[in-house]
Amino acid sequence: MADIAKLVEDLSQLTVMEAAELAKALEEAWGVSAAAAVAVAAPAAGGAGEAAAEEQTEFDVILTGDGGKKIQVIKEVRAITGLGLTEAKALVEGAPKPIKEAVNKAEAEDIKGKIEAAGGTVELK
């Protein structure tokens, strides 16, 4: 179990771009598609019923504003997402927009704290 926990911790450190590259490499190595895995997992999750409705486990982190500190917020968005300068600037200027989607509560709270420390405003959904 400790090895799995370490692997999960290591994978949680990946940027969005690194995670996408990893997914592509695994698809090629194993001859599977991430979309197919999601399609198979969706019906199984639907069977959880009311238990899933009681406690939310995945959150979307939505940037709602830059708080007048656009440059600092753009820098933080770049660090969190791995986006380039142009993409991060467009995301910040287009708020409200999602920074990350379907992340666990701890990661969502961490992102929220970083953006708020930079001067931005964030909403968790």
Side-chain angles (χ1 to χ4, degrees):
M1 264 314 224
D3 294 331
I4 293 173
K6 174 72 172 125
L7 179 60
V8 169
E9 182 181 326
D10 290 345
L11 291 175
S12 297
Q13 305 285 326
L14 294 177
T15 66
V16 174
M17 296 301 293
E18 291 169 334
E21 290 176 26
L22 174 62
K24 185 176 180 179
L26 292 175
E27 286 174 357
E28 291 173 5
W30 294 339
V32 296
S33 170
V38 171
V40 171
E50 294 179 27
E54 289 179 20
E55 185 176 339
Q56 184 175 351
T57 58
E58 290 187 341
F59 296 85
D60 294 342
V61 183
I62 312 296
L63 177 69
T64 56
D66 63 22
K69 299 189 178 208
K70 184 165 60 172
I71 294 173
Q72 292 90 329
V73 174
I74 290 171
K75 286 180 183 179
E76 200 57 52
V77 167
R78 287 186 70 202
I80 292 168
T81 63
L83 292 173
L85 179 60
T86 305
E87 293 86 359
K89 181 177 182 266
L91 190 151
V92 171
E93 289 176 344
K97 289 230 175 164
I99 297 173
K100 276 199 170 183
E101 298 178 321
V103 296
N104 64 41
K105 186 174 183 172
E107 184 177 358
E109 290 291 339
D110 181 52
I111 293 169
K112 180 179 179 183
K114 288 177 180 178
I115 296 294
E116 288 177 346
T121 54
V122 174
E123 180 180 307
L124 300 180
K125 289 189 177 185

